[in-house]
Amino acid sequence: MQLRFIRKQHENGNVWSFFFEPASPFSWKPGQFLYCSLKHNHMDNRGDHRYFTIASAPHEQTIRFTVRYFETASSTFKQKMFSLEPGAGMDVYPPDGSFTIEDYSKKYLCIAGGIGITPFRSQCNNFNHEKAFPDLVLVYGSQTPDPIFSQEFDAYTKTYPRFNVLYRIAPQVINAEFITGHVADYKERLLYVSGPEPMVKTIAPMLQTLGVPKRFIKTDYFPGYTI
Ligand SMILES: Cc1cc2nc3c(=O)[nH]c(=O)nc-3n(C[C@H](O)[C@H](O)[C@H](O)COP(=O)(O)OP(=O)(O)OC[C@H]3O[C@@H](n4cnc5c(N)ncnc54)[C@H](O)[C@@H]3O)c2cc1C
């Protein structure tokens, strides 16, 4: 499968979105990812393949990847992606992943750290498109005071009483005290945790110590980021 690059957009700080169109249409579920291949010269040892969550929702018809980019300090893969011209191709494997929310009768607690917001952006945008939000609390930790996609989430809270977003801006942290203090019914919810690997590996065991069975916790971690 191939994508064609359309444009990139600066979100904030070191976060950028890259928009592509599929060379031929394909379907995916909000929360799924693509395994991407971008051949380039002078490749570093991180290689020419990356997993990226599709941050857009299917109805938007474009494939959006939202990633962190550190200019010259970034991998050669990211530098190549950053230099793409409109019309340039990128090979991808079929959509994959089970970090999806399909049963709207259940209650959810979704916890995102930074760039880990991408699957929840796709899901919430899709719920809004379908005009049907499940009962969902989004806890969103950010290193910056203007978390990406926060305007969209804030707008949804005004329309859907069953949706709530709680921000934790550094130096605030997402810890056991915060969850028990702000999401009283967390044990009745299915838990989804997404973010850089160190964050997910801290939060998921913390939830288990709060009495949430492991089978109720789904994780999606982004390797390659230390914070
Ligand atoms: C299922 C799945 C879905 C994913 N979805 C996404 C997604 O939606 N978005 C996404 O961004 N990633 C996602 N990832 C992770 C992605 O595949 C890459 O591993 C990740 O983006 C890191 O990319 P990179 O190796 O090119 O490193 P780079 O982004 O180039 O660099 C990452 C690391 O380099 C170091 N670094 C270099 N320069 C700096 C600097 N100036 N400041 C701080 N640190 C610096 C840090 O250790 C940093 O964490 C996903 C991974 C999986 C498995």
Side-chain angles (χ1 to χ4, degrees):
M1 294 167 51
Q2 217 195 28
L3 305 181
R4 286 197 206 96
F5 180 66
I6 304 172
R7 68 184 175 93
K8 60 180 178 286
Q9 170 179 303
H10 185 224
E11 301 293 352
N12 68 30
N14 54 31
V15 180
W16 289 77
S17 287
F18 297 79
F19 296 82
F20 295 82
E21 61 180 354
S24 45
F26 63 88
S27 58
W28 78 91
K29 293 177 184 170
Q32 288 194 308
F33 59 82
L34 292 174
Y35 190 43
C36 309
S37 165
L38 202 50
K39 301 274 175 252
H40 57 283
N41 297 326
H42 311 296
M43 182 178 74
D44 64 21
N45 62 10
R46 288 186 252 179
D48 56 9
H49 285 71
R50 289 292 186 282
Y51 293 95
F52 291 126
T53 305
I54 306 173
S56 44
H59 73 93
E60 295 180 286
Q61 294 184 340
T62 55
I63 301 292
R64 176 183 193 159
F65 300 129
T66 299
V67 310
R68 294 173 72 191
Y69 177 69
F70 306 106
E71 300 194 356
T72 52
S74 249
S75 60
T76 55
F77 183 102
K78 292 258 180 92
Q79 290 179 42
K80 175 68 182 175
M81 194 158 134
F82 197 82
S83 71
L84 289 177
E85 296 288 343
M90 180 156 84
D91 293 324
V92 295
Y93 293 77
D96 202 356
S98 58
F99 201 74
T100 55
I101 293 178
E102 292 170 77
D103 184 347
Y104 292 13
S105 69
K106 294 202 161 73
K107 293 165 74 172
Y108 297 89
L109 169 56
C110 298
I111 302 178
I115 198 69
I117 197 64
T118 50
F120 301 131
R121 190 275 168 183
S122 174
Q123 288 157 353
C124 290
N125 188 289
N126 186 60
F127 298 145
N128 180 53
H129 177 70
E130 294 182 345
K131 308 241 172 293
F133 252 81
D135 185 324
L136 193 155
V137 177
L138 174 62
V139 174
Y140 183 3
S142 173
Q143 296 291 325
T144 58
D146 51 346
I148 46 170
F149 306 131
S150 56
Q151 289 182 1
E152 282 185 39
F153 296 130
D154 292 345
Y156 300 151
T157 61
K158 295 187 176 72
T159 310
Y160 304 99
R162 299 206 305 170
F163 176 62
N164 191 14
V165 57
L166 304 170
Y167 298 103
R168 296 295 281 166
I169 308 298
Q172 296 174 330
V173 293
I174 301 169
N175 55 18
E177 190 184 5
F178 182 78
I179 298 296
T180 54
H182 291 81
V183 193
D185 61 353
Y186 70 91
K187 284 187 183 167
E188 297 165 21
R189 296 177 178 272
L190 295 175
L191 284 98
Y192 283 58
V193 186
S194 172
E197 191 170 359
M199 172 263 179
V200 174
K201 287 191 167 167
T202 304
I203 300 272
M206 178 269 282
L207 294 169
Q208 285 180 255
T209 63
L210 287 178
V212 180
K214 196 174 180 181
R215 68 180 185 281
F216 291 166
I217 306 172
K218 263 195 188 190
T219 59
D220 199 18
Y221 66 77
F222 297 1
Y225 292 127
T226 47
I227 53 166

